[in-house]
Amino acid sequence: MQTSVPYLTADQEADLRETAKRLVAPGRGILAADEPPETMAQRFAGADIKIENTEEVRRKYRELLFTTEGVQEYISGVIFHHETFQQKSKDGIPFPKLLSDRGIIPGIKTDRGMVPLAGTDGETTTQGLDDLGERCAEYRKGGARFVKWRCALKIGLQTPTYLAMMENANVLARYASISQQNGLVPIVEPEVLYNGDHDLQTCQKVTEQVLAFTYKALSDHHVFLEGTLLKPNMVTSGRSFGARSSPQDTARATVTAFSRTIPPAVPGIVFLSGGQSEAESTLNLNAINTCTAAPKPWALSFSFGRALQASVLKAWQGDDKNIDLAQKQFLVRAKANGLATLGQYDEKEAAAADENSLFVEKNEY
Ligand code: 13P
């Protein structure tokens, strides 16, 4: 029998628990704005979008998002990329401070991206552990209160392999432990990718396996679950599968998978949008919150990147005179998803939301 020595004080635990709870307060969720500069090049060159990708344009774009009036009602936290964490508003206010002054909790992505797992069929692990403790301490000093680390697992004939599930679960658990020791709530993200032609049942089974590996590793590493959040995929059929799973089927499969694998001690689950359209992401989140197929002892909210930003980018086009319009779009998406966390999204409104797929074959964060 192994022994475990407490490594967080009661105060540290209370602080982490409180931050996690605030991030998933009813009606609110997270904006993932942590796209690295190279990924912003992709986003700025999407369908009907042509925006120059320079550091100053990225700064302006983030300022537009962070200063949207009223959005704090629906957005509890924002995930930054390192570049944005260092940037300031045009009035010289550091972005982390600008957000905390508005009641929005600043967070930051701390992983250093994915690398191949040699000898596998294109599977990956995620890097960045070596100096993570020091970086966490710096970010906490700079105002961050939570962090994100993304791992991705792909569904194929022979994947995900035992090795990939083990390795990714373990790296997530090491990250979570180091983050908590530095006073930061870890968002644990084991994303099962949307890529592929698998059906809904396959996605459900793989998601259950990946989550089971993840929570075993978090337990082995003595991670304080009450001070964590999970960022998973919704359970859907693959992008290239003939038929789309309906919001009701998606919700049933997602909630069933979660009830089998996620401990009730976890305060909240914040979904990624993973390439679904804006309309689909919101409808699915709403259906998940109204689903009664299995117990749901956690808050079920969002940490969307693409599904909160696609219409904003389209409206903005990099032009100052479109800022108002773009901010209106952001507020509409934030509010829609806020309502979906309560199961109160009016489905008729989905007709006005963008149904264009936001799928990217090789999506990098
Ligand atoms: P998407 O919502 O665009 O999938 O991204 C969320 C995210 O932060 C992935 O790590």
Side-chain angles (χ1 to χ4, degrees), residues 8-69:
L8 297 172
T9 64
D11 282 354
Q12 284 175 313
E13 289 193 353
D15 184 56
L16 293 168
R17 191 195 291 265
E18 180 57 27
T19 303
K21 212 171 99 189
R22 279 179 58 205
L23 285 167
V24 290
R28 298 175 91 205
I30 297 172
L31 164 69
D34 57 322
E35 302 88 351
E38 316 79 68
T39 300
M40 285 315 289
Q42 240 177 26
R43 301 288 193 264
F44 282 168
D48 310 325
I49 302 172
K50 199 167 183 302
I51 303 171
E52 194 193 1
N53 183 34
T54 65
E55 185 172 345
E56 175 54 14
V57 175
R58 293 192 292 274
R59 192 205 62 74
K60 272 193 173 180
Y61 172 59
R62 265 65 186 247
E63 178 160 356
L64 173 167
L65 293 172
F66 304 158
T67 55
T68 299
E69 268 319 311

Side-chain angles (χ1 to χ4, degrees), residues 69-82:
E69 268 319 311
V71 90
Q72 65 279 11
E73 218 183 301
Y74 313 106
I75 300 292
S76 56
V78 170
I79 313 175
F80 289 102
H81 181 268
H82 179 78

